[in-house]
Amino acid sequence: MSGAATVEARLAELGLTVPDVVPPVAAYVPAVRSGNHVFTAGQLPMRDGALIATGKVGDGVSPEQAAECARQCALNAIAAVKSVVGDLEKVVRVVKVVAFVASTPDFTGQPGVANGASELLAAAFGDAGIHARSAVGVPVLPLDAPVEVEILVEIAD
């Protein structure tokens, strides 16, 4: 990671703290460690127990609102990783991000929406936060969330 600041200190500079892990909405766990990797479940844009937006991007949810949702999803994914590894300084690299964007058929700005998550991960983890990514448009997401994000991170032994 670049610089001496910790992940949580970098987030604090952005006015953010790692939230409590969001409880699953079905039969799964927020994150699973397999070897030196942690896979998160898809994270919704929950803040203080509620979705910060609902609906489809391109119909009621602006791309800017959706990018903020993606940012919140990434913050929740960081919380899910922390719930498994305890210390975010164990994260060696964010390997992959998948962003699902519930959008109208004519909306093609999924990558811009996903940047909300990618930019937060880069700010939090520095160079280790630069990752491969997929941004996928879908017709609907759980609870009518506009965005869902999952991440895969590599952790130190």
Side-chain angles (χ1 to χ4, degrees):
M1 286 183 286
S2 62
T6 66
V7 172
E8 296 201 48
R10 287 190 200 100
L11 289 170
E13 289 173 6
L14 299 172
L16 301 171
T17 57
V18 177
D20 291 335
V21 69
V22 175
V25 297
Y28 61 89
V29 294
V32 173
R33 179 177 176 170
S34 179
N36 284 356
H37 291 94
V38 175
F39 297 77
T40 72
Q43 300 294 310
L44 299 178
M46 301 287 275
R47 185 183 296 150
D48 300 323
L51 288 171
I52 61 173
T54 57
K56 307 294 177 280
V57 185
D59 181 22
V61 177
S62 72
E64 296 77 19
Q65 290 171 307
E68 175 60 25
C69 286
R71 183 179 192 221
Q72 185 65 45
C73 292
L75 191 60
N76 293 341
I78 290 170
V81 169
K82 184 178 178 184
S83 76
V84 172
V85 301
D87 180 359
L88 291 171
E89 299 314 301
K90 293 180 181 176
V91 174
V92 173
R93 165 155 217 120
V94 179
V95 177
K96 178 78 187 250
V97 172
V98 181
F100 300 96
V101 182
S103 49
T104 59
D106 61 335
F107 181 77
T108 59
Q110 290 82 6
V113 170
N115 281 348
S118 294
E119 291 167 2
L120 178 70
L121 292 165
F125 293 100
D127 290 344
I130 307 300
H131 50 267
R133 185 182 81 189
S134 299
V136 182
V138 298
V140 68
L141 288 167
L143 308 178
D144 200 27
V147 182
E148 180 175 342
V149 173
E150 65 181 57
I151 69 173
L152 165 62
V153 301
E154 180 183 354
I155 56 172
D157 287 330

